[in-house]
Amino acid sequence: MATRRVGIIGTGWVGTSVAFSTLMAGHAAELWLHDARDAVAEGEAMDLADGAAFYPRCAVRAVPLAAMREADVVVVAAGRNGRPDESRLDLLRDNARLAADIGSALAGFGGVIIVVANPVDVLTRVIAAASGLPAARVFGTGTLLDSSRLRERLALRLGVAPVSVHAQVLGEHGDSSVMHWSGARIGGVALRDWPGWSTADEAAIAHAVRRAAYEVIRRKGATNHAIGLVAAELVGCVLRDERRVLPVSRLQDGALGLHGVALSLPTRVGAGGAGPVVEPALDAAERTALSASDSVLAQAFASL
């Protein structure tokens, strides 16, 4: 992927944060923006281009949707944001039709699609179906942001740096997400063996992680900066073929007995997209919770 052409569809709060983070990280040689509101995409491209002296060299411009087929990576951030009184799945009716249209427009696309728009798991499945692309080449940000939230809260609780915390959230990016407590490690030490840690702390931290987005939305109307960093990190993983194992959402084809539903499991992310899946060791409670998350997402897709 020597050309490093990155397209972003949707230039609202999230799309512009993805664009900014991508530019500052130096991932793209060309950054293309598209929005149903042509003037908005053009204005954002002009605004970002004016700062060219302060980020690694990159050409920024607005393009029609059809041009996205020539990109190496396309980030889908189109759709409305959630309201304080609704879950991510409540967004489904409004955003699924748009996602299907985008997927159809990218049928035959030769690159990788990264889905950010919510509900990300169901929309990842919608776009994969509409585009006809292999499952690995259509994946969502999934629970990577949830995992960052978990690491940050564990770091505060334990008095260590977040980079020293290795913990993941699995399943739905939403209310049925699964904290992988049994696999959490702090500097190589199992969390549940860490001095002073109590399993009694787990319920409160899990609740805080699941409620984090709602609390941000209640205060400012949308979440955008952290997910912008997450999406830009995934763009870099693809373009640099990093092959990092991360909890991202893709259509499952047998891992842990899951089939046909897009949800997050540890997955190798590189030039070919998201695959293969690395099956985590789960305890009985985590297996039950993951099965419940799978059912929630299957029912949401079936409602379409």
Side-chain angles (χ1 to χ4, degrees), residues 222-262:
T223 60
N224 59 305
H225 296 311
I227 192 60
L229 290 166
V230 165
E233 191 77 0
L234 291 173
V235 167
C237 286
V238 173
L239 292 176
R240 294 196 295 261
D241 193 22
E242 291 185 353
R243 306 182 190 186
R244 290 172 60 187
V245 177
L246 299 168
V248 295
S249 183
R250 56 154 284 170
L251 203 62
Q252 299 300 327
D253 57 3
L256 295 178
L258 303 173
H259 294 271
V261 170

Side-chain angles (χ1 to χ4, degrees), residues 23-254:
L23 286 173
M24 295 307 295
H27 294 322
E30 297 181 44
L31 184 66
W32 302 343
L33 306 181
H34 173 79
D35 197 281
R37 307 160 298 172
D38 292 340
V40 172
E42 291 169 0
E44 293 291 358
M46 293 164 65
D47 193 6
L48 290 167
D50 284 345
F54 305 106
Y55 52 75
R57 186 172 181 177
C58 181
V60 185
R61 61 190 175 97
V63 301
L65 181 59
M68 291 291 176
R69 297 172 62 85
E70 304 304 317
D72 298 304
V73 180
V74 169
V75 178
V76 179
R80 74 169 178 84
N81 293 319
R83 293 185 289 263
D85 60 343
E86 66 180 356
S87 73
R88 294 177 182 89
L89 291 180
D90 288 332
L91 291 170
L92 185 55
R93 293 182 182 85
D94 288 346
N95 288 350
R97 185 181 298 276
L98 177 59
D101 289 343
I102 291 170
S104 295
L106 293 174
F109 173 57
V112 171
I113 300 173
I114 301 175
V115 184
V116 181
N118 274 318
V120 66
D121 303 293
V122 182
L123 296 188
T124 295
R125 185 175 176 183
V126 168
I127 291 174
S131 67
L133 297 177
R137 291 205 283 121
V138 182
F139 71 94
T141 49
T143 55
L144 187 51
L145 176 54
D146 309 71
S147 298
S148 176
R149 290 167 173 155
L150 177 60
R151 293 171 65 191
E152 188 263 346
R153 283 154 179 79
L154 285 174
L156 287 174
R157 166 67 177 78
L158 301 173
V160 300
V163 294
S164 297
V165 178
H166 302 277
Q168 294 184 328
V169 180
L170 310 176
E172 179 199 1
H173 173 55
D175 297 336
S176 71
S177 61
V178 181
M179 310 296 132
H180 189 201
W181 297 116
S182 67
R185 298 287 185 273
I186 314 297
V189 177
L191 171 64
R192 287 173 169 169
D193 293 333
W194 188 266
W197 178 256
S198 170
T199 55
D201 296 331
E202 294 174 4
I205 291 177
H207 179 73
V209 169
R210 294 189 184 105
R211 290 294 308 170
Y214 300 123
E215 295 302 322
V216 174
I217 292 169
R218 183 167 65 86
R219 288 165 173 80
K220 58 173 275 191
T223 60
N224 59 305
H225 296 311
I227 192 60
L229 290 166
V230 165
E233 191 77 0
L234 291 173
V235 167
C237 286
V238 173
L239 292 176
R240 294 196 295 261
D241 193 22
E242 291 185 353
R243 306 182 190 186
R244 290 172 60 187
V245 177
L246 299 168
V248 295
S249 183
R250 56 154 284 170
L251 203 62
Q252 299 300 327
D253 57 3

